[in-house]
Amino acid sequence: GDDGVHCNSCGWNYDTPFWGMTDKGKCIQTNNWEEVQDWDSYLRDPAGNNFFDLAVTPTMNMCGPVHAKKDLDINCNAKFTKEELILPEELNLQEWTIEQIICAGSTQVEPAFDQLCGKDWDKSWDEIVKSLFEPEEGQGFEGTLMDGVCFALKRVKDLEKADTSNDCANLDKDEYEMNMPIELPTLGMGMGTSAILIPLFSEMKNLETMNFGSFADAGEAMMEAMGMYDMNALLGWGIANNLRDVGMTVPRAFRMSRFSFTADYDEEQYFCQNGEAKRRCDSGCDFDQCRISEADVDIDLQCERDECNNCAQRFYYFNQYEKVEFDRCASCASKFDEIIDNAVLKKIFRNNVEAQYICNEGWVAEDCNSRAVCDYKSGDYTIEYPTVSRIGATGDIRDDGEFYSNWRNEEMEAETCPFKDYECFEGYYPENGGRIECNVRDNFQIYNEPKCIKRGTLMTMNMMTMTEMRR
């Protein structure tokens, strides 16, 4: 923490833009779902990125793997004739054994290179990496990937003809050591990604001193313990032990000669000058929330979101070339009465010129419309309230279930006719669903009057109908 002893915690629903920060002033609230109900007040995602640079150089000493491959090729050539190791254009797996296919692939590196890459292929690693970020015309990712394969195949092909004994003591280091440096362009990552990658990559400098050969040592020890080290005896092949040796030389030949990772934090990416956290304002504006009067109808109203105020909308227009804030969005929010005849205010809509009322017990809105509308266009802000009337006759209700709501339902929308929810007793199910609607427009007729059917009755009736049809 600030005193170097105590821990500062941002608390639930907060985070810091960069790993390892202890200053509480850098805490950014990321969630307020439990505090608000209005969608406009929900916190948008924090904006900003941390930028990092990553440079790695994997290095492969090809001497050991190629030398082990040469031993494999010797056994393959002793087991199969030259003709038996030439792969046909259409391979018949019923005529070729797996052992023969492996040997054909191992002994035919040069023909495979010539066919896949071309005899004259000779690109450097730097050229391949450059094409990854700046693709040549007509060459996509697949072409760059194939160049990477050709780069490795060429090193194997060249070493097959060289003296690889005594760990390539008679060769220059550049002939058998394959360096593959990659330096990524500066990339940005948000708070969530930073929280994972920065602490992870910051510790990966240890890869430079890691002994990857320990994986091969562990693998061999496990095979010994399980009685699987003699692969020839296990599989019944003459080349299985050679395959094992090739596989074990690969991790022993690999090392990470360079791993460099740096990440930078820029406070201006995350915080505004007023100290508020910047927010990602990806969505457009809702022009329905700014109704304009007839006096302003000729204004070319425009809108932008304020990243320093939780993406709040700001409406504006241009007067000649001057940008002018528009502060005359119509609002009747303070004019809607809390109580009208036989109804109470339920909510004011986001446009601030319409509201919904809910009727008192025994009353419903005529025409199933409980919306109040404010006349903002003329500028006099008079309000037309919904008309309500007493509930008329509702018909007979069967006593085979029970209601768990009433006509005065809090879930009703402004243009919804009154409804009740009905639940059948155990052993029965509703024929037309569990909702009963009262059509105010049609003399309060009940639609979908509840009817509960005993479970299994429908199946019995269908079986009887099918029996009659067969007759």
Side-chain angles (χ1 to χ4, degrees), residues 252-269:
R252 290 189 173 111
F254 180 82
R255 65 186 175 91
M256 186 67 72
S257 55
R258 182 192 180 199
F259 189 95
S260 173
F261 174 77
T262 56
D264 295 319
Y265 162 70
D266 181 2
E267 184 165 327
E268 292 184 357
Q269 282 276 323

Side-chain angles (χ1 to χ4, degrees), residues 113 117 121 123-125 127-129 131-132 139 141-155 178 180:
F113 176 84
C117 311
W121 188 96
K123 289 186 177 181
S124 68
W125 179 256
E127 290 176 310
I128 296 172
V129 173
S131 68
L132 184 64
Q139 175 171 312
F141 176 75
E142 294 81 2
T144 303
L145 184 63
M146 181 55 67
D147 282 339
V149 173
C150 293
F151 182 79
L153 277 177
K154 186 176 188 305
R155 190 59 58 95
M178 188 167 62
M180 297 164 284

Side-chain angles (χ1 to χ4, degrees), residues 271-402:
F271 294 95
C272 302
Q273 291 184 349
N274 62 1
E276 292 292 329
K278 292 183 178 181
R279 304 287 173 177
R280 295 189 187 279
C281 305
D282 300 327
S283 60
C285 291
D286 183 3
F287 282 86
D288 188 57
Q289 294 188 37
C290 185
R291 302 291 183 92
I292 58 177
S293 66
E294 292 179 352
D296 293 322
V297 72
D298 293 331
I299 288 178
D300 182 16
L301 191 64
Q302 300 185 48
C303 178
E304 61 187 3
R305 289 191 177 271
D306 184 1
E307 67 175 0
C308 296
N309 187 21
N310 196 31
C311 300
Q313 299 179 139
R314 291 193 303 197
F315 293 95
Y316 64 94
Y317 64 97
F318 283 98
N319 183 7
Q320 303 258 329
Y321 298 103
E322 181 184 1
K323 185 177 181 180
V324 180
E325 182 178 356
F326 185 79
D327 57 1
R328 299 189 297 276
C329 295
S331 175
C332 304
S334 61
K335 299 182 181 295
F336 289 108
D337 292 336
E338 291 286 337
I339 301 175
I340 62 174
D341 290 342
N342 299 302
V344 296
L345 180 65
K346 179 183 178 182
K347 67 177 179 181
I348 298 174
F349 291 102
R350 294 169 63 189
N351 58 26
N352 287 318
V353 296
E354 295 176 308
Q356 181 184 355
Y357 285 79
I358 185 167
C359 298
N360 295 342
E361 188 70 37
W363 294 79
V364 292
E366 292 185 1
D367 295 326
C368 299
N369 189 345
S370 59
R371 186 186 296 261
V373 181
C374 174
D375 179 14
Y376 62 90
K377 290 187 177 180
S378 64
D380 61 8
Y381 295 102
T382 58
I383 297 175
E384 182 180 353
Y385 290 101
T387 304
V388 301
S389 59
R390 283 194 175 278
I391 295 178
T394 57
D396 296 328
I397 302 297
R398 293 167 56 93
D399 192 19
D400 49 9
E402 59 184 348

